Amino acid sequence: MTTDHASVDAAAPLTPDLVTPDSFSVATFNVNGIRAARRRGFDRWLSSRAPDVVALQELRCPASEVGEFPGYYASFDVGSIPGRNGVAVLTKAPPAAVRTWVTHPPRSRGLAEFASHGRYLEVDLADRPVTVACLYLPKGGLPAHLQSPGSLREPPDGGLKHARKQRFLAAFARELDRNRLAALRDGREFLLVGDLNIAHTHYDVTNWRAARTMDGFLPEDREWFGSILGARKLVDVVRRSQGDQPGPLTWWSWAGASFAKNVGWRVDHQLATPGLAREVKDAVVDKEASPQERLSDHAPLVVTYAASPLPPHTTTRDG
């Protein structure tokens, strides 16, 4: 198992028009391979955008090839499956605490089989009373009754991938509740960000009627997503900010003209405890101007929050 937490010296200055003393920005981005994203221009995006916190999914590389992120301290778990998964959280200040499912194994029954896969990482920010949790939720598959023999896109597997994802969802909901409440007891807001591989409402998929029989928009997926939200639980800050209107989308297929025609899904999310959700100032998807400029099949979701500094009396969990 390879689990790593790497730190580099912070050097990049804050960008004045993006970061002010009473606000901080959080980006979540499935890079679809950090090495490939860097070849396409990821470092230029990071330098120009300069979010305070950056959560990355699908690093898809060994720890030795994650690389450095000038101006940021990087905490990451690359997982044990070569070329798959891997999550990271970049912060401009050294984190107060870092937890992965290897250093702090999940307590909910059903998550043990995923604990070494590099799918979850928690960071307590040192300069804000916030815990940021980065998740790369498993992409499932269709239940057996929806699978088509002879399909080239997804060969029938008898519903095994679908059942695996549902096991993860059921167990993670319990773990999420536990972690959210632990953060609140420590005087911290909780923010779950990442690629959840689920679109919640029909505003989150371009062709939502056709998507009802697709993985990520199945009734059971959407029901689970709704179950983790609530006035006393977590708030979908993008949907609250945008209201009941289509988008903003965060994923488009590499194939065809879906990117140019803006035919895609919103599967990258930021879900915040109510106190933090009330502080949202702006939510933007950094969709590139053309298909040739794409960094990934996803685009970064950047949310700006207004928040006060960490109170002196606030404690942090380290175990």
Side-chain angles (χ1 to χ4, degrees), residues 91-156:
T91 55
K92 290 190 172 181
V98 177
R99 294 174 291 277
T100 75
W101 278 350
V102 175
T103 63
H104 296 71
R107 295 169 59 188
S108 294
R109 181 177 299 177
L111 289 180
E113 66 178 292
F114 304 96
S116 67
H117 293 181
R119 290 192 175 274
Y120 186 80
L121 174 70
E122 268 187 19
V123 168
D124 291 340
L125 302 185
D127 53 353
R128 304 282 178 180
V130 178
T131 293
V132 177
C134 176
L135 172 68
Y136 177 46
L137 195 148
K139 188 180 188 304
L142 295 177
H145 71 277
L146 291 178
Q147 294 187 8
S148 301
S151 171
L152 296 177
R153 182 174 182 180
E154 186 176 333

Side-chain angles (χ1 to χ4, degrees), residues 135 137 165-174 176 192 196-198 200 218-229 233 269 271:
L135 172 68
L137 195 148
K165 179 179 180 179
Q166 298 307 309
R167 290 197 306 274
F168 183 96
L169 294 180
F172 184 73
R174 298 190 296 270
L176 178 61
L192 176 68
L196 272 60
N197 270 314
I198 295 175
H200 184 210
L218 296 170
E220 53 267 43
D221 294 333
R222 299 170 63 197
E223 181 180 359
W224 176 85
F225 199 108
S227 74
I228 66 173
L229 302 179
K233 292 173 148 183
H269 301 279
L271 310 181

